[in-house]
Amino acid sequence: MPSPRILIKDHSAEANLFARRTFIGLLVVFVMIAMVLTNLYYLQISRFEDYQTRADGNRIKVLPVAPNRGLIYDRNGILLAENRPVFSLQVIPEEIDDLELTINTLSILLDIDKEDVSDFYRDLKGTRRFKPVNLINRLKPKEVALFSAQQHKYPGISVEARLARYYPYGSALTHVIGYVAKINKKDLQKLSEAGFEANYAATYDIGKRGIEKYHEEKLHGKVGFQEVEVNNQGRIIRILDFSPPAPGQDIVLNIDMELQQEAEKAFAGMKGSVVAIDPRDGGVLALYSSPSYDPNLFVHGISSKNYKKLLTTDRPLFNRATQGQYPPASTVKPLLALTGLEAKVITPESRIYDVGKYKLKNVEREWRDHNPWGHGWVDVTKAIEVSCDIFFYDLAYKLGIDRISESMYEFGFGDYTGIDLHEEADGIMPSRGIVKALFNLPWYIGDTINIGIGQSYWTATPVQLTQSIVTLVNRGRRIIPQIIRGNMQKDKVVVQAIKERRPIAIKDEHNWDIVLDAMYGTVNRKGSARNAFKGTNYTSAGKTGTAQLVSIAADEKYDASKLSKKNHDNAMYVGYAPYDKPQIVLSVVLENAGHGGAQAAPIARKMMDNYFKDQTFPEHQVIEYLGQELEELKLTQTELKPVVAQP
């Protein structure tokens, strides 16, 4: 075999090959180093702020801080709504691996009520998983200590301290102040639509009723923030920065707490309401609706058991003072009299002879007076004093519903008063059009006659009644009633401006005197409220009313014993004092209580006695009767009947 061929190395070629490979290798290394350096530049310099924020986000959190809710005081500086510290158990679902197991274990540890657990799962559905949800709204000190000892076993669950609303006077002020309660989905939606959601990031409660709701924006304040450093378990290590929240405004009400408590005491066991207003500025001195309830039940979430107790036929949740709609009865007779005088349908000397019945010509029905024997000769002054129905049947007939409706609307009937509460009804001031629209019924002349004594379709709220008398004693000046007096600023009360509507202008200013004097006579001469106000050290004036709730046949007599309690007459009273320079105007409505003079007027007396207990007045001389003492005439029964021909 031939011998193998011996290869001669080409050192030059190998050197070139090595050089090329070395160059390529170095090039790759330099490219890689350049890429690393470029990426480092990009990360450390170009995107420094972004990645620093992300890194800080892992150890730094920005937490919203809820503002302290503004306090509420009465006109004398008595604290009516305060904030007290409470502890709640909060759960952040995102930080818990097995939520259901954790909740079950906690339920055993802290003996959590099943209703609280179901409420927690309900709230959880409408909340983002990284946001805290309350499991227990109010922990007892023993429960706080028990959980704190075991907290290391429950990541994502913590005890949080916060301030919660407390109402020291409970049921006495519920329908004035209202209450705050947990923010729900509807509240969040409204806040979002109004652009206020961010301001409630750390807030648990919001005003639900009364002043708490109406002045929510003032009372809530502005949210703050704190920047905190946390460890890998999410626990706060230290606070890096703090932007304090702005607390809500402290507000002062026109309410006189002593007068309010007197109302609660006077209404014990009875249904109805009282509204008292200072006619000089429209300040609401007292507003009480009975029965009432404790608003503190709602602050931490009311149980279904307690809520069911409030859903009774007595309706304690219902604000009778602003939402109750009652026939005003005889309390509006002074206003009708003023309308008649202004329209010249009657004069101060106009009179009729009342024998207890009123009849239209060619109409079989008779309208009766509350006094079966009548009141004899009556003019407008005496008709108001003794509450003569016959006189006002005749007056209403002569005025007609159109003039009555127009005039009473001026006094605020059939419209909202403007009081600073959302819970208000507007009542019904009947007119032909309104009755047709609401009930699809025509207007009859008999309806007009019933309007003369504040019955028929006419309904009014107690706050409307009070406002109408405020307008009367102010001789046409229409002040809007206001519960809030002003704001606290550096220990001083900045009083808000008085709110007014266009005043009522009348042709003859003397007509005010005639009507107001008749109301004075109701209390001080031989009127229907004289017994209730005997012996006062102040002079007052007023008008009683008894609202009939069921129709009684012409040949029957009203007998309360034959009717169920719910069909008994409502007792009503409107009044003011002192007579010459009024400081207080009030209305009292007692449901199913009977006669205004016997039942409602005594409550008004208690209220006024309380209000004037620290005041003294000059000795009072009874003002003589401004009407005409009418000569008694002997007439036949036929001649005595006021018979009016239909137009």
Side-chain angles (χ1 to χ4, degrees):
M1 290 183 65
S3 58
R5 185 178 180 180
I6 299 173
L7 298 175
I8 299 175
K9 292 183 178 180
D10 188 347
H11 294 285
S12 177
E14 288 181 355
N16 290 335
L17 177 63
F18 177 77
R20 286 196 300 272
R21 289 178 177 176
T22 302
F23 176 76
I24 292 171
L26 287 173
L27 183 62
V28 171
V29 170
F30 282 125
V31 170
M32 295 298 292
I33 291 173
M35 290 176 64
V36 170
L37 292 175
T38 303
N39 198 41
L40 283 174
Y41 180 86
Y42 175 76
L43 293 174
Q44 297 293 332
I45 298 175
S46 298
R47 296 293 302 276
F48 169 75
E49 292 184 0
D50 293 340
Y51 286 104
Q52 183 187 43
T53 301
R54 291 188 185 185
D56 288 343
N58 293 328
R59 67 181 185 89
I60 297 174
K61 288 187 176 181
V62 178
L63 304 176
V65 181
N68 292 339
R69 196 169 180 85
L71 305 178
I72 302 177
Y73 299 87
D74 89 330
R75 68 191 296 118
N76 299 311
I78 297 174
L79 186 59
L80 307 179
E82 59 181 300
N83 302 318
R84 290 187 175 182
V86 295
F87 297 93
S88 59
L89 193 66
Q90 288 188 346
V91 178
I92 301 178
E94 187 180 56
E95 299 179 8
I96 301 173
D97 294 330
D98 192 334
L99 182 61
E100 187 174 351
L101 178 62
T102 303
I103 298 301
N104 291 338
T105 307
L106 273 174
S107 298
I108 297 171
L109 176 66
L110 300 177
D111 191 24
I112 303 175
D113 189 88
K114 290 182 179 179
E115 188 174 343
D116 288 336
V117 175
S118 62
D119 288 344
F120 166 76
Y121 282 115
R122 182 195 64 203
D123 295 340
L124 186 63
K125 292 178 180 177
T127 308
R128 296 174 183 174
R129 292 187 63 80
F130 60 84
K131 285 193 172 184
V133 181
N134 278 2
L135 178 58
I136 304 177
N137 289 312
R138 186 167 44 171
L139 285 169
K140 298 174 183 176
K142 182 180 178 181
E143 292 172 331
V144 173
L146 185 61
F147 176 78
S148 297
Q150 304 288 328
Q151 187 171 1
H152 62 282
K153 299 179 182 178
Y154 300 98
I157 300 178
S158 60
V159 173
E160 298 294 330
R162 62 187 176 92
L163 292 176
R165 208 55 150 177
Y166 179 72
Y167 305 102
Y169 290 96
S171 60
L173 278 166
T174 300
H175 294 103
V176 175
I177 294 181
Y179 57 82
V180 298
K182 190 162 52 177
I183 296 176
N184 56 32
K185 289 181 182 179
K186 285 186 178 179
D187 298 324
L188 288 173
Q189 185 178 350
K190 289 180 180 178
L191 290 171
S192 179
E193 290 171 355
F196 296 149
E197 188 176 14
N199 199 37
Y200 283 76
T203 303
Y204 296 97
D205 304 318
I206 193 170
K208 297 286 187 176
R209 284 176 179 260
I211 288 295
E212 292 277 28
K213 180 178 181 180
Y214 195 92
H215 293 289
E216 169 66 27
E217 191 172 345
K218 284 185 178 181
L219 291 166
H220 178 261
K222 187 177 181 181
V223 69
F225 296 93
Q226 65 176 355
E227 196 175 83
V228 298
E229 185 177 358
V230 297
N231 61 16
N232 60 349
Q233 293 180 337
R235 295 183 183 276
I236 296 175
I237 300 173
R238 61 192 175 110
I239 296 174
L240 302 176
D241 192 18
F242 181 67
S243 177
Q249 294 182 26
D250 295 342
I251 65 174
V252 179
L253 307 184
N254 282 304
I255 294 292
D256 183 322
M257 193 57 218
E258 285 191 28
L259 193 64
Q260 187 78 12
Q261 288 179 303
E262 183 65 36
E264 183 183 36
K265 180 181 174 183
F267 271 82
M270 294 185 287
K271 292 188 295 183
S273 69
V274 61
V275 178
I277 295 176
D278 187 333
R280 296 168 294 185
D281 60 8
V284 178
L285 302 170
L287 187 149
Y288 182 71
S289 174
S290 179
S292 188
Y293 59 97
D294 185 359
N296 292 300
L297 293 171
F298 287 87
V299 175
H300 303 286
I302 190 169
S303 66
S304 57
K305 181 180 178 182
N306 285 331
Y307 189 69
K308 285 178 181 177
K309 289 180 180 178
L310 299 177
L311 301 178
T312 65
T313 54
D314 289 340
R315 303 173 70 192
L317 296 171
F318 182 66
N319 188 348
R320 288 167 163 81
T322 58
Q323 294 175 300
Q325 300 183 61
Y326 307 92
S330 297
T331 59
V332 294
K333 286 178 178 176
L335 306 177
L336 291 169
L338 180 68
T339 303
L341 290 167
E342 273 295 290
K344 298 188 183 300
V345 168
I346 57 171
T347 68
E349 295 77 30
S350 298
R351 60 191 186 276
I352 65 170
Y353 198 91
D354 171 22
V355 294
K357 296 179 181 180
Y358 182 79
K359 187 171 172 44
L360 291 175
K361 191 173 183 180
N362 300 322
V363 175
E364 185 177 349
R365 177 184 171 178
E366 289 182 335
W367 285 266
R368 296 176 296 185
D369 194 277
H370 64 87
N371 183 350
W373 302 278
H375 297 93
W377 284 109
V378 290
D379 61 1
V380 64
T381 301
K382 185 177 179 181
I384 294 173
E385 286 183 356
V386 300
S387 201
C388 173
D389 291 340
I390 303 302
F391 186 93
F392 286 95
Y393 289 146
D394 189 57
L395 175 59
Y397 176 80
K398 291 175 179 176
L399 279 170
I401 186 56
D402 298 329
R403 278 192 289 197
I404 292 174
S405 181
E406 182 181 352
S407 176
M408 293 304 101
Y409 189 80
E410 287 279 285
F411 278 95
F413 295 101
D415 194 11
Y416 299 102
T417 63
I419 191 170
D420 43 347
L421 290 177
H422 289 299
E423 304 84 41
E424 185 186 9
D426 57 355
I428 299 174
M429 184 60 244
S431 66
R432 300 177 196 275
I434 286 176
V435 169
K436 183 67 176 176
L438 292 179
F439 308 104
N440 195 28
L441 292 172
W443 186 263
Y444 297 103
I445 191 62
D447 297 325
T448 302
I449 293 173
N450 288 330
I451 286 292
I453 59 168
Q455 296 275 176
S456 187
Y457 299 99
W458 195 350
T459 63
T461 64
V463 72
Q464 282 178 332
L465 278 177
T466 315
Q467 184 190 42
S468 71
I469 303 303
V470 168
T471 302
L472 182 63
V473 301
N474 281 334
R475 297 170 184 264
R477 183 186 176 198
R478 299 196 300 171
I479 302 178
I480 297 173
Q482 293 293 289
I483 295 174
I484 188 172
R485 183 172 182 81
N487 304 327
M488 288 289 292
Q489 292 185 12
K490 296 181 181 179
D491 298 327
K492 291 184 179 180
V493 181
V494 179
V495 180
Q496 70 176 16
I498 298 172
K499 298 180 180 180
E500 301 186 44
R501 289 190 172 97
R502 176 183 54 80
I504 297 174
I506 67 173
K507 302 170 186 174
D508 188 349
E509 293 291 325
H510 180 57
N511 289 335
W512 297 116
D513 298 322
I514 295 170
V515 174
L516 294 172
D517 171 73
M519 294 180 71
Y520 170 89
T522 301
V523 174
N524 296 282
R525 293 191 286 257
K526 297 180 180 180
S528 53
R530 64 188 183 279
N531 292 328
F533 285 87
K534 282 182 179 178
T536 61
N537 68 330
Y538 54 87
T539 57
S540 68
K543 183 71 192 77
T544 59
T546 304
Q548 186 175 301
L549 302 183
V550 293
S551 299
I552 305 297
D555 57 345
E556 292 183 9
K557 185 179 179 181
Y558 176 83
D559 186 352
S561 64
K562 295 181 180 179
L563 299 172
S564 62
K565 180 67 175 177
K566 67 178 182 179
N567 290 326
H568 288 189
D569 293 345
N570 290 338
M572 312 178 78
Y573 182 79
V574 294
Y576 61 95
Y579 170 68
D580 53 344
K581 295 179 180 179
Q583 298 178 32
I584 183 172
V585 175
L586 57 76
S587 70
V588 177
V589 177
L590 283 172
E591 293 182 10
N592 315 122
H595 297 284
Q599 277 75 35
I603 291 180
R605 164 72 185 269
K606 290 178 182 178
M607 297 284 289
M608 289 185 178
D609 284 352
N610 178 282
Y611 189 71
F612 293 119
K613 64 180 183 298
D614 297 325
Q615 297 188 46
T616 57
F617 300 92
E619 187 176 350
H620 169 57
Q621 298 291 330
V622 176
I623 300 174
E624 294 299 326
Y625 178 66
L626 293 187
Q628 296 185 356
E629 292 294 348
L630 303 172
E631 181 182 354
E632 294 291 341
L633 299 177
K634 293 182 180 180
L635 303 174
T636 65
Q637 188 69 18
T638 304
E639 291 172 321
L640 291 176
K641 291 182 180 180
V643 178
V644 181
Q646 292 185 16

